[in-house]
């Protein structure tokens, strides 16, 4: 009995199952006379001066954690950083470098933080790229940010070099 429940659960939650957006009614009637059929796709504008990428509008992916096609709102902090790892599925590690002032010595020290962010399939992010991330509700244990903009890599630099944005 237990193995049947586990099998049933795996078939529903697996990505090979039929994927559809929540806001779309799939069984709509179509006009047979129409020459160009517009694809059924729900896309929203995030706001805050962030442009919706063309890949999100014209794409066919289904991602419920995407800020453009899913059920996630961007609110709070908007940060910029360097992508240092893309090993996780649809999640990237972003390095943020900053200076911390030491009052006793009247000097700054270099510090950094690694932030995990969900990366929608509409962005082709690679290591070394600069991304803009926006804060959202917690998507996983360590993921509380979402990639909202992407700049391609300009110059090849090391993972741990200090870069201010």
């Amino acid at each position: 009995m237990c193995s049947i429940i586990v099998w049933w659960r795996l078939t529903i939650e697996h990505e090979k199952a039929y994927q559809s957006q929540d806001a779309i009614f799939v069984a709509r009637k179509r006009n047979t006379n129409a020459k160009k059929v517009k694809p059924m796709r729900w896309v929203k504008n995030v706001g805050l001066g962030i442009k919706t990428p063309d890949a999100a509008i014209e794409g066919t992916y289904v991602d419920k954690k995407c800020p453009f096609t899913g059920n996630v709102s961007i609110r709070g902090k908007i940060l910029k950083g360097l992508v240092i790892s893309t090993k996780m599925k649809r999640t990237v590690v972003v390095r943020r470098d900053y200076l911390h002032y030491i009052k006793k010595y009247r000097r700054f020290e270099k510090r950094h933080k690694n932030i995990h962010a969900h990366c929608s399939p509409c962005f082709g992010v690679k290591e070394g790229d600069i991304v803009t991330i926006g804060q959202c509700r917690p998507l996983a244990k360590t993921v509380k940010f979402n990639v909202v903009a992407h700049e391609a890599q300009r110059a090849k630099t090391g993972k741990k070099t200090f870069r201010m944005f």
Side-chain angles (χ1 to χ4, degrees):
M1 178 69 181
C2 185
S3 61
I4 295 172
I5 293 170
V6 171
W7 172 82
W8 179 78
R9 198 163 180 206
L10 288 174
T11 56
I12 288 180
E13 295 176 0
H14 199 271
E15 285 193 357
K16 289 184 180 174
Y18 180 71
Q19 300 287 308
S20 66
Q21 287 182 305
D22 289 338
I24 299 294
F25 178 63
V26 181
R28 74 172 183 182
K29 293 182 181 176
R30 299 189 182 197
N31 189 359
T32 57
N33 300 352
K35 292 176 182 157
K36 186 177 180 185
V37 178
K38 186 178 179 185
M40 295 183 293
R41 186 124 176 106
W42 181 79
V43 180
K44 72 176 180 179
N45 183 10
V46 173
L48 304 168
I50 297 165
K51 184 182 175 294
T52 305
D54 293 333
I57 297 168
E58 300 161 2
T60 58
Y61 69 90
V62 176
D63 185 12
K64 65 180 182 179
K65 295 178 182 178
C66 175
F68 307 105
T69 62
N71 188 21
V72 175
S73 61
I74 301 296
R75 78 283 191 282
K77 296 180 181 177
I78 304 289
L79 308 171
K80 245 184 176 181
L82 181 75
V83 176
I84 60 169
S85 174
T86 57
K87 293 177 183 174
M88 292 176 278
K89 189 171 192 176
R90 292 189 182 176
T91 305
V92 294
V93 180
V94 178
R95 180 184 170 108
R96 297 232 333 125
D97 297 317
Y98 60 96
L99 297 172
H100 179 251
Y101 185 68
I102 307 297
K103 193 163 47 171
K104 178 181 177 182
Y105 300 110
R106 294 192 210 141
R107 281 168 172 71
F108 290 94
E109 68 178 1
K110 296 175 184 175
R111 289 190 177 182
H112 83 276
K113 289 275 189 236
N114 287 344
I115 300 171
H116 297 262
H118 179 77
C119 184
S120 177
C122 63
F123 297 111
V125 176
K126 296 186 287 291
E127 290 183 15
D129 291 353
I130 297 168
V131 293
T132 304
I133 55 176
Q135 190 179 6
C136 60
R137 64 176 169 82
L139 302 174
K141 181 181 174 183
T142 59
V143 180
K144 292 159 186 65
F145 286 86
N146 223 314
V147 175
V148 292
H150 167 249
E151 298 172 27
Q153 179 181 6
R154 283 177 263 156
K156 185 75 174 171
T157 57
K159 275 188 182 179
K160 294 187 177 181
T161 55
F162 191 82
R163 293 182 65 178
M164 294 285 287
F165 299 102

